[in-house]
Amino acid sequence: MKFTKQAEKDFLRLDNVVKKHAAKAFMKLQADFNAGHTLSGSLGGVRSLEFSAPGGDYRAAYVVDGGDCLIFLVGSHENFYKEAERRYRSSVSLLKKRDRL
């Protein structure tokens, strides 16, 4: 399981209590990359892992790439899918560029 630099920053910005809930969700994801649900439309190919913490619901957006997964967004539910769309486009470009190397 890997994180983009932006997803790492997202995680570090979370409150410590939320980080603990996120870490538990990431352990679940590490054991099963299909733990989250698939998205559709412009986010086809993306999965969303949901987790709750005091104060709200949170999500992590990721793509499964072969035997690994790349988390590219971690945040609260508010505006999550709009931001996921924006980041997904740039993450896909990075994956394609890496595959050509």
Side-chain angles (χ1 to χ4, degrees):
M1 181 169 59
K2 299 176 185 169
F3 290 79
T4 63
K5 289 182 188 215
Q6 188 61 50
E8 287 178 16
K9 290 178 185 177
D10 294 341
F11 178 77
L12 293 174
R13 276 186 236 145
L14 296 174
D15 177 87
N16 285 336
V17 173
V18 177
K19 282 181 189 173
K20 288 179 184 179
H21 287 271
K24 287 180 185 178
F26 295 150
M27 288 185 343
K28 181 179 174 184
L29 181 60
Q30 182 68 41
D32 178 13
F33 292 156
N34 294 317
H37 67 277
T38 56
L39 301 177
S40 59
S42 61
L43 289 170
V46 175
R47 299 185 71 85
S48 176
L49 180 69
E50 301 175 3
F51 59 97
S52 294
D57 293 322
Y58 294 83
R59 308 275 187 278
Y62 66 99
V63 291
V64 177
D65 182 33
D68 206 356
C69 82
L70 175 66
I71 298 172
F72 62 89
L73 174 63
V74 179
S76 67
H77 185 259
E78 185 179 343
N79 297 320
F80 181 82
Y81 295 102
K82 185 175 182 177
E83 181 65 14
E85 230 180 290
R86 188 184 71 74
R87 287 197 196 174
Y88 178 57
R89 286 192 297 268
S90 64
S91 295
V92 167
S93 298
L94 291 174
L95 289 172
K96 286 180 181 176
K97 202 180 283 186
R98 184 198 70 194
D99 291 342
R100 286 191 300 252
L101 299 177

